[in-house]
Amino acid sequence: MCLAIPGKIIEILNDDPLMRSGKVSFSGIIKEINLAFTPEAEVGHYVIAHAGFAISTLDEKAAEEILMIFE
Amino acid sequence: MKYIDEYRCPRKIKNLTDAVKDIVTKPWKIMEVCGGQTHAIMRYGLETLLPDFITLLHGPGCPVCVTSQEIIDKAIETAAEKDVIFCSFGDMLRVPGTKKDLLSVKAEGGDVRIVYSPLNAVKLAKLNPGRIVVFFAIGFETTAPANAMSVIQADRLKLNNFKLLTSQVLIPPAIEAILSPPNTAVNGMLAPGHVCTVTGYENYENIARKYEIPIVVTGFEPVDILSGILKCVEMLEKGDNRAANQYARSVRREGNLKAQQIISDVFQVTDYKWRGIGMIPDSGLKLKAKYSKFDAEEFFGAVELNDDTNDRCISGLILQGVKKPDQCPEFAVNCTPENPLGATMVSSEGACAAYYKYRKSRL
Ligand code: SF4
């Protein structure tokens, strides 16, 4: 239920604060995602999306760090 | 898939399980709170890779599982109403009510639709002014901002035909209930990464201090789950009873403030009856009075909660980490995903269904 997956923003569609949305690619599957909770997210960023909403912008440095430790 | 595949790497999984073996000296019981994590643990067989000293207990973090029967009955009754378009996330359709499920309402001609986002339900309300669109707003804190935003948008569009049937649950009061005597089976906890993405984890720092256990905010891929377990074992061995964050790519300490803002604008905290566990004070959300015109219970009548006990099903004990699914005499005998007796068998994230799907095939 709390499944949320990372996808890459390929286009910002609407910059109204409440309706802010973008096209997000989940490995090629493109969905329109509401970006109202991630005003900092821009084209090229990855967001974690749940129920049609981005709930965070993925921190790429933190993402790499955890992988390096267990190499 | 970037940011997914690398967290499923077999070499890293092996390194992590070796690291756990190297440091563990005592038996520890660790609860993963979230059903998504339970599902991943079973799917990748992570339990079988860990040393015998580590027991994983499966927590209450499955919103589909803990939604009370009375609310499901209300959903079924509402969905059968003439002029209603009933919208729900797909996983609620097969959850059995007292007599039937939402899928059978649909088969009987009810207009039941699966939506991916609550905003799709708002759109349907706009397109169908002559009908009442009811959205079944279930979920934890992860889903609450999306559900809250649907109300804000419906309000903005001045829609009078959009209603929310709310069953929103909060994690911290539930884990406090699990950690309070007499249920003290748990030594350490993995906190749910996507709930904490929204709420942050300051609350979990307080719980760790109060109940003197380590709590590790953890993600959902095998490398995430194992690094959460490794961190938790490290802290247990040292007696370090704090909260830590192993899912930093998504979770910030303060959480997502914009999402928290909209939750507190639309919802207020209320008591909630968890299926299998019972009433937990201040563990749910309901619409604030200023949004009552979007409340399905105001429109169709309030849900009446009963005192339900089904003595054949021990899902309440399973949700609290006291028992495991294969300790239930009904498991895989009279209770299967096709014919579930309790909610932990209905959702693929429920511990009983996860055991059934992945354990049974390995026997
Ligand atoms: S196996 Fe079925 S009856 Fe037993 S606890 Fe799980 S859901 Fe309940």
Side-chain angles (χ1 to χ4, degrees), chain B residues 312-315 318 325 328 330-332 335 341-345 352:
Chain B
R312 286 161 73 199
C313 173
I314 60 162
S315 61
I318 292 172
C328 173
E330 303 290 349
F331 177 75
C335 182
L341 290 180
T344 38
M345 188 58 100
C352 296

Side-chain angles (χ1 to χ4, degrees), chain A residues 1 19 27 50 63 70-71, chain B residues 1 7 11 15 143 153 349:
Chain A
M1 172 76 209
M19 303 291 278
S27 339
H50 169 78
F70 304 112
E71 205 30 74
Chain B
M1 246 201 263
Y7 298 92
R11 193 181 64 250
N15 291 347
T143 319
Q153 303 225 341
E349 287 181 0

Side-chain angles (χ1 to χ4, degrees), chain B residues 9-22:
Chain B
C9 161
R11 193 181 64 250
K12 291 192 184 74
I13 291 175
K14 170 100 181 31
N15 291 347
L16 275 158
T17 46
D18 286 349
V20 176
K21 279 180 199 138
D22 286 346

Side-chain angles (χ1 to χ4, degrees), chain B residues 38-86:
Chain B
T38 305
H39 187 88
I41 287 164
M42 292 297 142
R43 175 171 172 198
Y44 295 101
L46 301 181
E47 241 182 339
T48 60
L49 304 173
L50 288 165
D52 290 342
F53 267 159
I54 310 288
T55 306
L56 296 179
L57 300 173
H58 317 303
C62 167
V64 179
C65 303
V66 302
T67 297
S68 72
Q69 179 112 44
E70 295 90 323
I71 298 180
I72 291 166
D73 283 339
K74 186 80 191 175
I76 289 165
E77 187 191 307
T78 310
E81 295 260 355
K82 216 171 119 270
D83 295 334
V84 163
I85 302 178
F86 194 88

